[in-house]
Amino acid sequence: MRRTRVEKRHGIQISVPHVRNTRVGSDPPGRVCIDVKDGVVLVGGDGHYWPGEASTAHRAFVKFCKTLKPQVIVMNGDAFDGAKISRHPPIGWENRPDVIDEMEAVQERLGEIEKAFKCRKVWTLGNHDSRFETRLATVATEYARVHGFHLKDHFPNWEACWSCWINGDVVIKHRGPKGGTHATHNNTVASGKTMVTNHLHSLKVTPYSDYNGDRYGVDCGTLADPNGPQFLDYSEDNPKNHRSGFAVLTFRGGKLLWPEIVAVVDSETVQFRGELIRV
């Protein structure tokens, strides 16, 4: 935005190193663009919120919202699980919550985040979130565009989008173009950007360097308990390479510092910057 103002004021065009000049008059549909010069962006996702007690990672996320005072909070997809409206058939006679029970659980948990610290809040939608509208669009097409039939209608304090771009070179979205074990590496290589994703629940940072400098592939893990009821029958008690936690992105002078991870240690403790923090 500052660059655009200077260009208009002086009638010049400023070339940006290593970035193709693809700016247009407005952000592309489905994208939220934010400038952060100095500050913190908290990114958590895959809450898969069901009725019941809040997970350790969620309680830590709320605590960090209060203590770090971020400029932006991003819920990086799949706060809503949609267990009963999945395209997959039930596994045996598993007990899955109704949509209304899940919706109230999501509202309660996101409400706790909203109360923790007032700042800009973005919800990058995930594949489980999409179940809400996909189901309605399939069985009740006549209700298109009616208020309440979109998931975002129930969460007016959150900006819904597919991706959130910070300073034009950090892309936060639920899942990137690549998947699998090496998704963090492959996403940042394929996109040419720092890619901050969820979806795979793996909780890790993968650096990548080339002629353009350093960038990162970040997986923000899951705000849910990997051994919670949401995943019990689905995983068939197989080992899961999942970790509970979230990411802290710190910017100085508009540049992203090395992304940091907050990881759950046990039911009452998380680790961050070499410290054990009770939540």
Side-chain angles (χ1 to χ4, degrees):
M1 292 173 63
R2 181 184 178 195
R3 188 168 64 243
T4 300
R5 290 196 300 269
V6 172
E7 289 174 342
K8 290 181 178 179
R9 185 182 307 126
H10 297 283
I12 61 174
Q13 183 173 6
I14 301 174
S15 297
V16 184
H18 314 310
V19 179
R20 290 190 306 160
N21 190 359
T22 57
R23 288 179 291 138
V24 293
S26 59
D27 298 335
R31 182 183 299 180
V32 170
C33 297
I34 303 174
D35 289 332
V36 177
K37 183 179 180 182
D38 296 296
V40 169
V41 176
L42 274 184
V43 187
D46 285 296
H48 295 276
Y49 294 119
W50 277 21
E53 293 185 3
S55 68
T56 306
H58 174 83
R59 298 198 310 272
F61 195 76
V62 172
K63 181 182 181 71
F64 274 64
C65 288
K66 297 176 181 177
T67 57
L68 295 184
K69 296 177 172 52
Q71 289 193 22
V72 184
I73 297 172
V74 180
M75 179 56 59
N76 203 18
D78 288 355
F80 179 78
D81 188 54
K84 271 198 173 180
I85 53 176
S86 168
R87 61 184 175 85
H88 302 290
I91 301 174
W93 299 99
E94 63 180 3
N95 183 24
R96 298 180 294 177
D98 292 331
V99 171
I100 183 61
D101 296 325
E102 275 197 36
M103 184 68 73
E104 290 176 349
V106 178
Q107 290 172 331
E108 180 179 2
R109 297 292 168 247
L110 295 195
E112 292 167 352
I113 295 172
E114 292 170 20
K115 293 176 183 177
F117 188 69
K118 296 188 181 301
C119 66
R120 192 166 182 178
K121 296 176 177 65
V122 179
W123 185 346
T124 49
L125 299 172
N127 52 302
H128 280 254
D129 299 323
S130 298
R131 290 177 176 180
F132 183 85
E133 292 174 32
T134 298
R135 176 68 172 174
L136 292 172
T138 302
V139 301
T141 57
E142 301 83 359
Y143 289 85
R145 298 185 300 279
V146 174
H147 184 79
F149 275 66
H150 292 277
L151 185 63
K152 64 182 180 181
D153 296 339
H154 302 271
F155 301 91
N157 294 326
W158 295 78
E159 298 178 65
C161 62
W162 288 116
S163 65
C164 177
W165 291 52
I166 307 296
N167 299 336
D169 52 15
V170 175
V171 182
I172 306 170
K173 64 195 309 290
H174 180 66
R175 52 182 175 178
K178 306 296 182 180
T181 302
H182 305 292
T184 49
H185 170 86
N186 292 332
N187 280 333
T188 190
V189 172
S191 67
K193 305 287 187 181
T194 287
M195 288 285 293
V196 183
T197 58
N198 274 80
H199 189 58
L200 298 179
H201 303 186
S202 63
L203 194 64
K204 59 187 177 184
V205 177
T206 304
Y208 182 80
S209 302
D210 57 17
Y211 288 134
N212 295 319
D214 299 332
R215 58 184 187 269
Y216 309 91
V218 182
D219 186 306
C220 301
T222 173
L223 289 176
D225 180 352
N227 296 310
Q230 305 95 316
F231 316 113
L232 176 61
D233 294 316
Y234 173 79
S235 66
E236 301 177 358
D237 196 31
N238 284 316
K240 297 181 287 292
N241 188 23
H242 296 175
R243 284 163 289 278
S244 194
F246 51 92
V248 178
L249 307 181
T250 302
F251 294 85
R252 291 291 180 264
K255 179 179 176 60
L256 174 66
L257 305 184
W258 193 289
E260 298 173 288
I261 293 297
V262 179
V264 170
V265 176
D266 56 40
S267 62
E268 297 181 343
T269 313
V270 298
Q271 57 177 313
F272 180 62
R273 294 177 180 172
E275 300 290 337
L276 296 177
I277 302 171
R278 290 180 61 84
V279 296

